[in-house]
Amino acid sequence: MGPTAGKPPATMQAVRFDRATGELRLAEVPTPAPAAGEVLVKVAACGICQSDVRRIDGEIEPRLARYTPGHEAAGVVAAAGSRVRRWAPGDRVVLAAGRQCGECAACRGGAGADSCTDLRLPATHHDGVWAEYAVTSETALVPVPDAIPLEQATVLSGAVATPYGAIETARLRPAEGVGVWGLGGLGIHLVQLARLCGASPIIALDIRPAARELALGRGADLALDPANTRLESYIRGVTDGRGLDVAFDFVGRACSFGQARAVLGDRGRLVVVGTSLDVGEAVPEFASMRHDQTVVAHTGYRVRHLEDVVGLVGRGRLDVSASIGAVLPLARVAEGLQRMRERDGDLLRLLLRP
Ligand SMILES: [Zn+2]
Ligand SMILES: [Zn+2]
């Protein structure tokens, strides 16, 4: 059993970030109340994602002047707002990032979070999950079976559901050759999921030897340093000259994009994951693409992707138990962020425990 669900206290501990001063600190704030159709979750674990770090460091402009960061969490339902039918206190859940807007045509028609055309995002539109409690739409929760620790469920919400969604975007089929540029928390799980999907061969690329080593352990057939000048001939060699069917670019720089494009085979798909692609830098690379190749951008995941990966772990098909690098108390958030900046927390997921 997870944490017991008692009546939520009036105040709670939360990490607060002030954009003007750059100050990040633990504060006592009012416990949020769930509105109609919303649920209050007692957070058991929350993840530190590279995008949280980039927003705090000012690389991604936050829309809020002061907010609670974090968008990956799992926990136990503490209270349900009016009209909530699916959840009761004590239910173990993982949160999909994003609340329904409640106002778009899909929301008014009673559709779920995956259909909302104006999804409200944590740390962008409202407070995030680095706190003892968090509120979200009842449709943005996925049940977690007792057999899956809530720490693992937290990892599924960001670092596994996003590459899982990217595999769907790529329409990856068994026996297709895959390349993965950038083996951070997302890329490493892409390798693992591509293996599960029957991709072959799977080629992992990262400048860090430790990342390449990890990828070989998670199912990559070959791990290469992108600085290797014979990269293209290696990849042509292991794909019998045909090149890659699918290239996933988790780096999003002109260098990774250019390399991936150069080794893409006929009808190949290049999937740029995340928001870091410098389009201005990459545009010349588009000019040299063949007419039957595709470039597609992929961001985030759907609630149904999160349901799928929870199901895969629950049925023993996917093991993410080795993906958690450390679990720090919420008060040590600054240390966690620093470890992410130094890229040592990037290979395995760093979690916070409120
Ligand atoms: Zn994330
Ligand atoms: Zn909506």
Side-chain angles (χ1 to χ4, degrees), residues 10-22:
T11 63
M12 64 169 190
Q13 296 229 294
V15 174
R16 299 293 293 168
F17 178 68
D18 187 314
R19 185 172 59 168
T21 62

PDB file of all heavy atoms in Angstrom, residues 10-22:
ATOM      1  N   ALA A  10      -4.774  21.679   5.781  1.00  0.00           N
ATOM      2  CA  ALA A  10      -5.062  22.991   5.179  1.00  0.00           C
ATOM      3  C   ALA A  10      -3.858  23.531   4.404  1.00  0.00           C
ATOM      4  O   ALA A  10      -4.020  24.216   3.399  1.00  0.00           O
ATOM      5  CB  ALA A  10      -5.478  23.975   6.265  1.00  0.00           C
ATOM      6  N   THR A  11      -2.663  23.209   4.896  1.00  0.00           N
ATOM      7  CA  THR A  11      -1.461  23.675   4.186  1.00  0.00           C
ATOM      8  C   THR A  11      -0.549  22.486   3.886  1.00  0.00           C
ATOM      9  O   THR A  11      -0.680  21.426   4.478  1.00  0.00           O
ATOM     10  CB  THR A  11      -0.669  24.714   5.005  1.00  0.00           C
ATOM     11  OG1 THR A  11      -0.206  24.081   6.204  1.00  0.00           O
ATOM     12  CG2 THR A  11      -1.524  25.931   5.348  1.00  0.00           C
ATOM     13  N   MET A  12       0.365  22.730   2.944  1.00  0.00           N
ATOM     14  CA  MET A  12       1.281  21.656   2.520  1.00  0.00           C
ATOM     15  C   MET A  12       2.633  22.269   2.152  1.00  0.00           C
ATOM     16  O   MET A  12       2.759  23.476   1.949  1.00  0.00           O
ATOM     17  CB  MET A  12       0.706  20.947   1.303  1.00  0.00           C
ATOM     18  CG  MET A  12       0.595  21.863   0.082  1.00  0.00           C
ATOM     19  SD  MET A  12       0.215  20.938  -1.424  1.00  0.00           S
ATOM     20  CE  MET A  12       0.455  22.204  -2.679  1.00  0.00           C
ATOM     21  N   GLN A  13       3.616  21.406   2.032  1.00  0.00           N
ATOM     22  CA  GLN A  13       4.930  21.854   1.569  1.00  0.00           C
ATOM     23  C   GLN A  13       4.973  21.772   0.040  1.00  0.00           C
ATOM     24  O   GLN A  13       4.502  20.794  -0.550  1.00  0.00           O
ATOM     25  CB  GLN A  13       6.008  20.953   2.141  1.00  0.00           C
ATOM     26  CG  GLN A  13       6.098  21.025   3.656  1.00  0.00           C
ATOM     27  CD  GLN A  13       7.531  21.217   4.097  1.00  0.00           C
ATOM     28  OE1 GLN A  13       8.351  20.329   3.899  1.00  0.00           O
ATOM     29  NE2 GLN A  13       7.829  22.362   4.669  1.00  0.00           N
ATOM     30  N   ALA A  14       5.538  22.798  -0.567  1.00  0.00           N
ATOM     31  CA  ALA A  14       5.683  22.819  -2.020  1.00  0.00           C
ATOM     32  C   ALA A  14       6.969  23.553  -2.378  1.00  0.00           C
ATOM     33  O   ALA A  14       7.403  24.455  -1.660  1.00  0.00           O
ATOM     34  CB  ALA A  14       4.492  23.522  -2.671  1.00  0.00           C
ATOM     35  N   VAL A  15       7.581  23.160  -3.490  1.00  0.00           N
ATOM     36  CA  VAL A  15       8.729  23.901  -4.002  1.00  0.00           C
ATOM     37  C   VAL A  15       8.167  25.101  -4.758  1.00  0.00           C
ATOM     38  O   VAL A  15       7.258  24.956  -5.579  1.00  0.00           O
ATOM     39  CB  VAL A  15       9.578  23.028  -4.956  1.00  0.00           C
ATOM     40  CG1 VAL A  15      10.689  23.849  -5.601  1.00  0.00           C
ATOM     41  CG2 VAL A  15      10.144  21.827  -4.213  1.00  0.00           C
ATOM     42  N   ARG A  16       8.670  26.299  -4.486  1.00  0.00           N
ATOM     43  CA  ARG A  16       8.203  27.498  -5.177  1.00  0.00           C
ATOM     44  C   ARG A  16       9.372  28.136  -5.913  1.00  0.00           C
ATOM     45  O   ARG A  16      10.475  28.254  -5.380  1.00  0.00           O
ATOM     46  CB  ARG A  16       7.615  28.505  -4.176  1.00  0.00           C
ATOM     47  CG  ARG A  16       6.422  27.977  -3.411  1.00  0.00           C
ATOM     48  CD  ARG A  16       5.209  27.749  -4.288  1.00  0.00           C
ATOM     49  NE  ARG A  16       4.657  29.001  -4.802  1.00  0.00           N
ATOM     50  CZ  ARG A  16       3.738  29.075  -5.768  1.00  0.00           C
ATOM     51  NH1 ARG A  16       3.292  27.959  -6.336  1.00  0.00           N
ATOM     52  NH2 ARG A  16       3.281  30.222  -6.173  1.00  0.00           N
ATOM     53  N   PHE A  17       9.123  28.533  -7.162  1.00  0.00           N
ATOM     54  CA  PHE A  17      10.146  29.213  -7.947  1.00  0.00           C
ATOM     55  C   PHE A  17       9.662  30.611  -8.282  1.00  0.00           C
ATOM     56  O   PHE A  17       8.524  30.804  -8.714  1.00  0.00           O
ATOM     57  CB  PHE A  17      10.435  28.444  -9.240  1.00  0.00           C
ATOM     58  CG  PHE A  17      11.444  29.129 -10.124  1.00  0.00           C
ATOM     59  CD1 PHE A  17      12.764  29.232  -9.731  1.00  0.00           C
ATOM     60  CD2 PHE A  17      11.062  29.688 -11.341  1.00  0.00           C
ATOM     61  CE1 PHE A  17      13.699  29.879 -10.535  1.00  0.00           C
ATOM     62  CE2 PHE A  17      11.996  30.331 -12.150  1.00  0.00           C
ATOM     63  CZ  PHE A  17      13.313  30.433 -11.741  1.00  0.00           C
ATOM     64  N   ASP A  18      10.538  31.583  -8.040  1.00  0.00           N
ATOM     65  CA  ASP A  18      10.228  32.983  -8.335  1.00  0.00           C
ATOM     66  C   ASP A  18      11.076  33.407  -9.529  1.00  0.00           C
ATOM     67  O   ASP A  18      12.305  33.458  -9.453  1.00  0.00           O
ATOM     68  CB  ASP A  18      10.552  33.852  -7.109  1.00  0.00           C
ATOM     69  CG  ASP A  18      10.089  35.293  -7.291  1.00  0.00           C
ATOM     70  OD1 ASP A  18      10.337  35.870  -8.379  1.00  0.00           O
ATOM     71  OD2 ASP A  18       9.489  35.833  -6.344  1.00  0.00           O
ATOM     72  N   ARG A  19      10.406  33.704 -10.645  1.00  0.00           N
ATOM     73  CA  ARG A  19      11.120  34.023 -11.879  1.00  0.00           C
ATOM     74  C   ARG A  19      11.958  35.290 -11.743  1.00  0.00           C
ATOM     75  O   ARG A  19      13.070  35.378 -12.253  1.00  0.00           O
ATOM     76  CB  ARG A  19      10.111  34.183 -13.019  1.00  0.00           C
ATOM     77  CG  ARG A  19      10.747  34.401 -14.363  1.00  0.00           C
ATOM     78  CD  ARG A  19       9.726  34.360 -15.462  1.00  0.00           C
ATOM     79  NE  ARG A  19       8.685  35.366 -15.297  1.00  0.00           N
ATOM     80  CZ  ARG A  19       7.801  35.677 -16.241  1.00  0.00           C
ATOM     81  NH1 ARG A  19       7.820  35.043 -17.382  1.00  0.00           N
ATOM     82  NH2 ARG A  19       6.892  36.590 -16.045  1.00  0.00           N
ATOM     83  N   ALA A  20      11.432  36.295 -11.034  1.00  0.00           N
ATOM     84  CA  ALA A  20      12.127  37.585 -10.926  1.00  0.00           C
ATOM     85  C   ALA A  20      13.436  37.464 -10.155  1.00  0.00           C
ATOM     86  O   ALA A  20      14.462  38.011 -10.559  1.00  0.00           O
ATOM     87  CB  ALA A  20      11.208  38.608 -10.267  1.00  0.00           C
ATOM     88  N   THR A  21      13.412  36.734  -9.047  1.00  0.00           N
ATOM     89  CA  THR A  21      14.611  36.639  -8.205  1.00  0.00           C
ATOM     90  C   THR A  21      15.435  35.385  -8.517  1.00  0.00           C
ATOM     91  O   THR A  21      16.582  35.290  -8.094  1.00  0.00           O
ATOM     92  CB  THR A  21      14.218  36.585  -6.711  1.00  0.00           C
ATOM     93  OG1 THR A  21      13.433  35.394  -6.504  1.00  0.00           O
ATOM     94  CG2 THR A  21      13.404  37.803  -6.308  1.00  0.00           C
ATOM     95  N   GLY A  22      14.830  34.429  -9.220  1.00  0.00           N
ATOM     96  CA  GLY A  22      15.520  33.167  -9.487  1.00  0.00           C
ATOM     97  C   GLY A  22      15.581  32.269  -8.273  1.00  0.00           C
ATOM     98  O   GLY A  22      16.265  31.246  -8.270  1.00  0.00           O
TER      99      GLY A  22
END
